[in-house]
Amino acid sequence: MNEFKFKKKYGQNFIKDENLINKIVDSAEISKDSLVIEIGPGMGALTTKILNKCKQAIIYEIDVELKDYLEYKLNKYNNYKLIFEDFLGANVKNKLKEFDYKELLIVANLPYYITTPIIKKIIEDEILADKIVIMIQKEVADRFSAKVNTKDYSSLTVFLNYYYDIKKLFNVSKNMFYPKPEVDSSVILMSKRKDKEFIKDINKFNEIVRDSFKYKRKNLRNNLQGYDLVKIDEILNKYNLSLTSRAENVPLHVFIEIANNI
Ligand code: SAM
């Protein structure tokens, strides 16, 4: 497929290193019980290895110019559904109803320009995979796995860490791709938490976390005008925090306690 024109607008940086491909697929520990969702197969670098190991796969690719090549490359497999659609607009939950599976995995080298929207969609649409192994931009990986009291700790970090334990597995040099991107990457493993804290009202939790981080440089008193500040202060004080703290100082369990009590 020599004449293929790589599309920057679709974040097309394909992996060219066989060891890296194996390392990513092995990290997902795919088994014959697994239904795998792959987002953006490109020329199928990860796809054939995934199909060798999984029960079934649902594969979303936006670029229809890859259709002939992918169908040819995946010709010998019959355990996949290849869908040419923008993953962000796809009704994945509906699609999942067509499959019978014991565990759901997401494995992908994500298009970097929409990493955050994809992750948000997975959470908001409740496509709650048991495990997610994704290659993403290194800076974004740092944000997802950021610890409290660091500058990378954000509302998305808090949301993601409620649903998933997030671990950075390894960094990947930009030289491993064709065409070579401008940034380095990391592969992260997100494992669905089985011991999630109880949240009374998820919308209220989302709202308070979002508002707490509204203006990053402002403290909680400023960002949470309109909430019951007396009650919030009382809870914060139990953890050596106060209304003069910033959202980046507040651990997940404290946000949950606040949301459950106001
Ligand atoms: N998996 C291949 C690999 O590792 O070599 C390609 C990865 S490349 C970084 C990202 C892929 O996602 C491209 O094939 C691109 O066309 C596809 N893509 C981009 N935006 C998409 C979207 N909104 N929905 C589905 N696929 C998308």
Side-chain angles (χ1 to χ4, degrees):
M1 206 171 159
N2 292 331
E3 73 283 4
F4 182 73
K5 294 233 179 343
F6 292 89
K7 300 177 190 69
K8 217 175 168 174
K9 68 169 178 177
Y10 289 152
Q12 288 178 342
N13 303 102
F14 295 171
I15 308 176
K16 55 176 191 176
D17 184 273
E18 194 69 14
N19 287 331
L20 174 59
I21 293 167
N22 287 327
K23 216 169 152 188
I24 294 170
V25 175
D26 288 348
S27 302
E29 296 178 318
I30 300 168
S31 78
K32 288 291 170 202
D33 283 333
S34 319
L35 170 63
V36 179
I37 297 177
E38 188 190 8
I39 304 155
M43 290 188 180
L46 298 168
T47 318
T48 52
K49 314 257 177 196
I50 291 171
L51 293 178
N52 280 332
K53 294 182 172 218
C54 72
K55 183 178 181 201
Q56 281 177 301
I58 311 172
I59 307 163
Y60 288 94
E61 172 57 63
I62 199 169
D63 187 357
V64 286
E65 269 185 55
L66 289 162
K67 191 166 190 279
D68 290 348
Y69 181 83
L70 271 174
E71 282 175 355
Y72 161 77
K73 185 156 183 184
L74 306 182
N75 180 33
K76 71 169 178 139
Y77 298 91
N78 56 15
N79 58 339
Y80 71 92
K81 180 113 195 135
L82 179 56
I83 302 169
F84 285 89
E85 189 179 359
D86 177 353
F87 179 77
L88 291 178
N91 190 338
V92 183
K93 266 203 117 167
N94 230 8
K95 184 53 63 188
L96 284 171
K97 289 187 193 142
E98 295 172 20
F99 295 81
D100 182 28
Y101 56 92
K102 280 203 183 130
E103 64 163 7
L104 177 64
L105 309 178
I106 296 177
V107 182
N109 170 18
L110 287 184
Y112 294 169
Y113 74 110
I114 44 167
T115 301
T116 301
I118 287 176
I119 294 295
K120 280 193 174 152
K121 179 186 171 78
I122 289 170
I123 301 286
E124 283 165 12
D125 289 5
E126 296 175 315
I127 311 164
L128 293 178
D130 298 283
K131 249 185 296 176
I132 302 177
V133 173
I134 44 175
M135 179 138 63
I136 58 179
Q137 192 179 325
K138 188 167 170 293
E139 284 69 27
V140 180
D142 290 339
R143 222 178 320 132
F144 287 180
S145 54
K147 298 283 172 265
V148 65
N149 295 321
T150 65
K151 71 168 175 37
D152 282 333
Y153 188 73
S154 66
S155 53
L156 189 56
T157 316
V158 178
F159 295 138
L160 286 183
N161 282 275
Y162 171 62
Y163 292 99
Y164 286 98
D165 286 322
I166 302 175
K167 200 167 131 199
K168 193 200 263 195
L169 296 181
F170 50 89
N171 293 328
V172 179
S173 153
K174 46 179 166 281
N175 296 319
M176 297 284 183
F177 303 90
Y178 187 83
K180 185 168 149 182
E182 277 148 30
V183 292
D184 288 324
S185 304
S186 300
V187 174
I188 61 167
L189 165 67
M190 299 170 56
S191 316
K192 191 158 85 180
R193 290 183 57 204
K194 294 190 175 74
D195 54 350
K196 286 206 304 283
E197 300 84 350
F198 168 71
I199 294 184
K200 254 199 250 171
D201 178 347
I202 194 76
N203 294 329
K204 196 185 253 185
F205 169 74
N206 290 346
E207 210 172 286
I208 194 131
V209 173
R210 214 173 296 124
D211 286 344
S212 299
F213 282 93
K214 195 161 184 191
Y215 300 103
K216 263 216 119 183
R217 306 194 64 80
K218 290 197 171 177
N219 64 27
L220 292 170
R221 184 191 304 282
N222 289 318
N223 278 337
L224 295 179
Q225 291 297 326
Y227 287 90
D228 181 350
L229 290 179
V230 176
K231 187 75 206 168
I232 294 175
D233 197 34
E234 200 182 294
I235 296 168
L236 289 169
N237 291 168
K238 280 177 32 190
Y239 302 99
N240 283 331
L241 295 161
S242 74
L243 290 170
T244 58
S245 308
R246 292 200 181 132
E248 69 194 35
N249 307 121
V250 181
L252 169 65
H253 70 91
V254 179
F255 277 120
I256 293 174
E257 190 170 331
I258 293 173
N260 284 348
N261 288 284
I262 54 163

